[in-house]
Amino acid sequence: MAITESTSLLISWSKTVPPSLAAACFLIYQLGLVIKVWQARHAANPETALVPIQTEPGAKGRWLQAAQGWERRFWIYALLTRKPDAKSFAGSNHFGTGEQGGNASCWLGWAFINLIPLPIIHLILHHRHPAVADITTMASLAGSLWLWAEYRAASIRPVSVDDKYLYLRYGLLTDRRIDRAQILDVKPSGFCDGHGHIRRYAGLGAPNVLITLLDGEVMAVGVDHPDRLIVELQAGS
């Protein structure tokens, strides 16, 4: 398969740029994000201040936008300790997602479990390859920081409803807005999908609400108070 001209230029550029320079640019970029997050710490909701509203699925550039949203939420929930009011998120009625199926506590547990073997692994590797030991330690710390950010996002970010939309927010990545006019059916869910036909939104928890859309898409959603969400969505259908 022929390689396009732009791909060839990208490959040649990657060969000429020293890895140290690429790493320095990446670190400078991340430092800039951290500074932006710190400057937004007094906002009513730093997420709504820093993360643009995600376009509908299928829109051009949605994957880049989703990646940028994940990156900014990572630093927001990893660094800032003040919990924003749920009312600062879009929507008029809000439903937590941290308690369902132990969602938030699972993220927190994995964050600490990831750190337990770290000192022993570092000592073992340090005697053989000090550089490898340092890289492994930094990667493990970054992994635990990510799990901590996921824990805080699961504890804070709500699923929300207003007169027009259902807003799904889970962890650092999921940020979806669904037109309520597209909802065909809502019912309790025991969630068992052996064929992968149901889209799952519950983090590390257990889905308890099944939502069917007019286009045939079926979603299993996990919230702390499923009965309340079902009543809210059925009231507008």
Side-chain angles (χ1 to χ4, degrees), residues 28-41 50 75 79:
I28 292 172
Y29 171 71
Q30 294 300 322
L31 179 61
L33 283 181
V34 171
I35 292 173
K36 285 184 178 180
V37 168
W38 185 251
Q39 290 174 337
R41 67 188 184 280
L50 293 176
W75 288 116
L79 299 181

Side-chain angles (χ1 to χ4, degrees), residues 95 188 208-209 223-234:
F95 304 85
N208 45 33
V209 178
V223 293
D224 295 344
H225 301 286
D227 294 340
R228 287 175 47 202
L229 178 61
I230 292 172
V231 169
E232 180 73 23
L233 292 177
Q234 288 178 340

Side-chain angles (χ1 to χ4, degrees), residues 42-233:
H42 296 306
N45 188 336
E47 179 180 343
T48 57
L50 293 176
V51 182
I53 297 175
Q54 192 166 320
T55 54
E56 295 297 322
K60 184 178 180 181
R62 67 189 186 280
W63 298 115
L64 177 61
Q65 192 177 46
Q68 290 176 336
W70 179 93
E71 192 174 38
R72 295 188 180 197
R73 290 189 196 98
F74 168 78
W75 288 116
I76 289 169
Y77 292 106
L79 299 181
L80 302 185
T81 57
R82 186 173 61 84
K83 183 177 180 179
D85 191 340
K87 294 180 180 179
S88 61
F89 289 92
S92 54
N93 293 315
H94 306 280
F95 304 85
T97 64
E99 296 177 6
Q100 49 90 19
N103 181 26
S105 59
C106 284
W107 286 113
L108 183 60
W110 281 114
F112 283 107
I113 289 173
N114 189 57
L115 293 175
I116 292 174
L118 185 58
I120 297 175
I121 293 175
H122 183 85
L123 288 174
I124 293 174
L125 291 176
H126 184 74
H127 290 293
R128 297 176 178 269
H129 302 285
V132 173
D134 293 339
I135 294 173
T136 302
T137 298
M138 292 300 295
S140 296
L141 291 174
S144 285
L145 186 62
W146 162 63
L147 291 167
W148 167 258
E150 289 281 5
Y151 155 71
R152 295 201 68 246
S155 303
I156 295 172
R157 304 185 74 221
V159 166
S160 304
V161 179
D162 59 22
D163 293 338
K164 190 173 182 180
Y165 295 109
L166 165 66
Y167 304 88
L168 298 179
R169 305 181 185 93
Y170 289 92
L172 301 176
L173 183 60
T174 302
D175 189 30
R176 184 176 178 184
R177 187 179 66 181
I178 299 171
D179 192 329
R180 291 184 63 176
Q182 298 300 312
I183 297 177
L184 177 64
D185 184 45
V186 183
K187 61 185 179 182
S189 169
F191 189 69
C192 181
D193 180 25
H195 302 286
H197 296 153
I198 299 177
R199 185 166 294 185
R200 182 182 184 278
Y201 293 105
L204 295 182
N208 45 33
V209 178
L210 200 65
I211 301 175
T212 304
L213 303 183
L214 290 175
D215 62 4
E217 181 182 355
V218 181
M219 300 177 295
V221 175
V223 293
D224 295 344
H225 301 286
D227 294 340
R228 287 175 47 202
L229 178 61
I230 292 172
V231 169
E232 180 73 23
L233 292 177

